[in-house]
Each structure stands twice: as structure tokens, then as C-alpha cells.
């Protein structure tokens, strides 16, 4: 399948936005990062907007996008609903933070809503790609890979922002380590699923051209095998292990300089890994639609 760079950027930036907003919700629950709450809300919305702009480059006739919102079960409809809900919550979150006495104290319920809507949007965005006709995509692990990317990117980004603003970035220590660990597990699990997905094609009669019944249209095993460097070196080692190690080291040192350095490396590495995983995702998006 051809690489869909606008969608690769959309899913990656959306996961990043969800990660930032969810992580700042966790900080709000702890009463931490008060000076950065408003800025982080803006950052999450900017990331989401950038992803939304990227989507338009996927469309030949962007003005027809509303034709896709015809049914509630449509993936694009569900994404739109989740995005609108996310933006509404982010705006309310920003307003509450701005109106508070110190500019960053949020009600506990609003913090929980921020965490919840972040998880929902990441999951809905990923769920849109699940379809039986593409075996390598049709797994809950694909959904968890996007949620995992949010866990990798969000807390580390918040730590860098807090350190840059002169706040105690150590408050992000446990969320960053826990988030990167969760993200690493989700990434590795989906990478393993993709690597094993070649067998799914034989289970539905393999993928042959009906006019040439002995000639495969696509060599699923070779296609999946070619993704090994992207999956294991790019997505897992660079995109999952490196951020986890960086967050552990930053938490161990605990000072702002360490969070700026290691947190920044963690964010960049997680971004590279997320893109590598989505590139592999599209490369293995071989279809067996004729069986459905």
C-alpha cells in the first residue's frame, strides 16, 4: 500500500496532542505544573490543529470532506465527534486555569475529564483503521499503539516545558517513566503482531489475482519481512527503548537541565519511532477485500 504521509502526520500529531493534554491532566491532579497549564493546553490544541491541516493534503477535493460524515458508524464521523469534544474540553480547561487565583489550579473533575478525552480521542483515531480486509491492521494492538505513542510523547513533552518554565520538572518523573514504559510495551506488542501478520493471509486463501490463480498479487511474507528494520530498530529501539531510558535517567538526576536534555531526546526519539511504526503500518496494509 502507498504511504499516506498526511495520515501518518495526522495520527502522530493527534497522539502527541492527546499525550500532552492527558499528561497535564495528571499534573493537575497532583496540583503540579501550575505555571505551565495554560501553555500546555495551547500546545495540545496547536498539535491537533497541525494534524487536522495535514489531513486536508490527503484529500483531492477537501471541500467534499463533509460528504464523509454521513453515518455515526463511519470512522471519520467518530473522529470528528471526538476531536470536537477534545477541543471543547481543552478550551474549558484553559478558561478554568486562567480564571483560577494562581493561573493553573484545576478542579479534580476537570483534570480527570482531560485524561479521559485524551484516551478516547487517541483510541477513536486508531480504531478508524481497524478493518478485517487488512489483516495487519485489524487488531486492538493497533489501537494501543496510538495510545502508547501518546504515553511516550505526552509526559516527556510536559517535563521539557516545565523545566523550560522554571518549574519542578520532577513532578513529571513518575508519569514520564510510567508513560514511556506503557508506550514501549504497546509499541513492541504491535510490532510483533505486524511481524506475525503474514500468516493471516494464508488463513483466508492467500492473496492471488483471480485472472492468474497461481500468481500472488503480493508476497505477504516478503512485504512483512522487509519491515523488520523499521519495526524493531526504528519503532521499538529508537521509538520506545530510548525514550524509556532517557526518562529513567532524567528522573534519576532530577534537575531541570537533565529534563531539558533527556526529555528532549525522549520526545524526538518517540516521534521518530511513531513515524517508523506508521510507515511500516502502511507498508503492510495489504488488502484481502475480495474475501469480505
Amino acid at each position: 500500500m502507498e504511504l499516506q504521509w498526511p495520515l501518518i502526520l495526522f495520527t502522530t500529531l493527534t497522539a502527541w496532542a492527546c499525550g500532552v493534554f492527558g499528561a497535564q491532566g495528571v499534573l493537575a491532579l497532583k496540583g503540579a505544573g501550575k505555571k505551565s497549564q495554560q501553555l500546555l493546553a495551547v500546545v495540545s490544541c496547536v498539535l491537533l490543529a497541525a494534524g487536522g491541516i495535514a489531513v486536508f493534503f490527503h484529500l483531492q477535493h477537501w471541500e467534499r470532506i463533509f460528504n464523509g460524515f454521513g453515518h455515526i458508524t463511519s470512522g471519520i464521523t467518530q473522529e470528528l465527534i471526538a476531536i470536537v469534544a477534545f477541543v471543547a474540553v481543552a478550551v474549558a480547561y484553559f478558561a478554568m486555569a486562567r480564571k483560577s487565583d494562581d493561573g493553573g489550579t484545576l478542579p479534580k473533575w476537570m483534570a480527570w475529564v482531560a485524561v479521559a478525552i485524551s484516551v478516547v480521542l487517541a483510541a477513536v483515531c486508531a480504531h478508524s483503521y481497524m478493518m478485517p480486509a487488512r489483516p495487519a491492521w485489524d487488531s486492538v494492538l493497533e489501537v494501543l499503539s496510538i495510545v502508547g505513542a501518546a504515553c511516550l510523547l505526552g509526559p516527556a513533552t510536559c517535563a521539557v516545558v516545565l523545566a523550560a518554565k522554571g518549574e519542578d520538572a520532577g513532578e513529571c518523573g513518575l508519569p514520564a517513566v510510567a508513560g514511556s514504559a506503557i508506550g514501549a510495551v504497546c509499541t513492541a506488542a504491535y510490532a510483533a503482531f505486524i511481524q506475525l501478520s503474514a500468516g493471516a493471509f494464508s488463513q483466508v486463501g492467500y492473496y492471488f489475482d483471480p485472472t492468474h490463480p497461481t500468481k500472488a498479487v503480493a508476497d505477504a511474507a516478503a512485504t512483512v519481512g522487509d519491515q523488520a528494520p523499521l519495526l524493531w530498530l526504528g519503532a521499538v529501539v529508537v521509538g520506545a527503548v530510548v525514550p524509556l531510558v532517557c526518562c529513567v535517567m532524567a528522573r534519576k538526576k532530577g534537575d531541570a537541565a537533565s529534563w531539558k536534555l533527556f526529555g528532549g531526546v525522549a520526545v524526538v526519539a518517540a516521534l521518530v519511532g511513531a513515524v517508523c511504526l506508521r510507515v511500516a503500518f502502511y507498508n503492510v496494509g495489504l488488502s484481502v477485500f475480495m474475501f469480505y
Side-chain angles (χ1 to χ4, degrees):
M1 183 178 181
E2 294 182 359
L3 294 180
Q4 304 296 319
W5 281 104
L7 297 183
I8 291 173
L9 293 175
F10 169 69
T11 50
T12 301
L13 291 172
T14 298
W16 196 359
C18 291
V20 171
F21 197 45
Q24 71 175 108
V26 172
L27 288 175
L29 288 172
K30 300 170 64 177
K34 294 181 180 180
K35 294 180 182 179
S36 303
Q37 285 290 349
Q38 294 180 46
L39 175 59
L40 288 171
V42 172
V43 168
S44 63
C45 288
V46 169
L47 290 170
L48 185 61
I53 292 172
V55 167
F56 282 93
F57 289 93
H58 176 65
L59 305 171
Q60 290 185 338
H61 295 281
W62 64 266
E63 72 279 3
R64 300 179 185 176
I65 190 172
F66 294 100
N67 295 336
F69 304 132
H71 201 282
I72 192 64
T73 60
S74 167
I76 192 173
T77 301
Q78 294 172 356
E79 284 182 350
L80 177 63
I81 293 172
I83 288 172
V84 170
F86 182 96
V87 172
V89 172
V91 170
Y93 189 102
F94 178 88
M96 288 185 178
R98 190 172 182 82
K99 289 182 178 180
S100 64
D101 294 335
D102 53 14
T105 298
L106 281 301
K108 299 292 185 183
W109 66 267
M110 176 53 79
W112 279 114
V113 171
V115 174
I117 193 60
S118 299
V119 174
V120 168
L121 177 55
V124 169
C125 176
H127 183 266
S128 297
Y129 296 89
M130 287 182 63
M131 54 190 76
R134 298 189 187 277
W137 296 9
D138 196 34
S139 170
V140 69
L141 294 176
E142 186 270 326
V143 176
L144 292 178
S145 72
I146 296 294
V147 176
C151 292
L152 283 162
L153 288 162
T157 300
C158 289
V160 173
V161 172
L162 262 64
K165 293 273 288 184
E167 294 195 83
D168 182 11
E171 293 289 350
C172 291
L174 182 57
V177 172
S180 57
I182 293 171
V185 171
C186 292
T187 298
Y190 188 51
F193 176 82
I194 288 178
Q195 199 74 68
L196 297 172
S197 66
F201 289 84
S202 61
Q203 295 172 6
V204 292
Y206 216 73
Y207 185 14
F208 289 95
D209 185 340
T211 61
H212 299 85
T214 61
K215 183 180 180 181
V217 174
D219 187 341
T223 301
V224 172
D226 289 343
Q227 308 313 308
L230 275 174
L231 289 172
W232 300 107
L233 181 59
V236 176
V237 175
V238 175
V241 175
V242 170
L244 176 58
V245 171
C246 285
C247 289
V248 170
M249 293 178 66
R251 189 189 182 202
K252 184 176 181 180
K253 291 182 177 295
D255 57 280
S258 296
W259 277 112
K260 289 179 184 179
L261 173 61
F262 292 116
V265 172
V267 172
V268 172
L271 278 174
V272 171
V275 171
C276 286
L277 186 60
R278 300 313 285 180
V279 169
F281 170 85
Y282 277 103
N283 283 335
V284 299
L286 304 176
S287 176
V288 289
F289 68 90
M290 68 286 293
F291 296 105
Y292 291 89

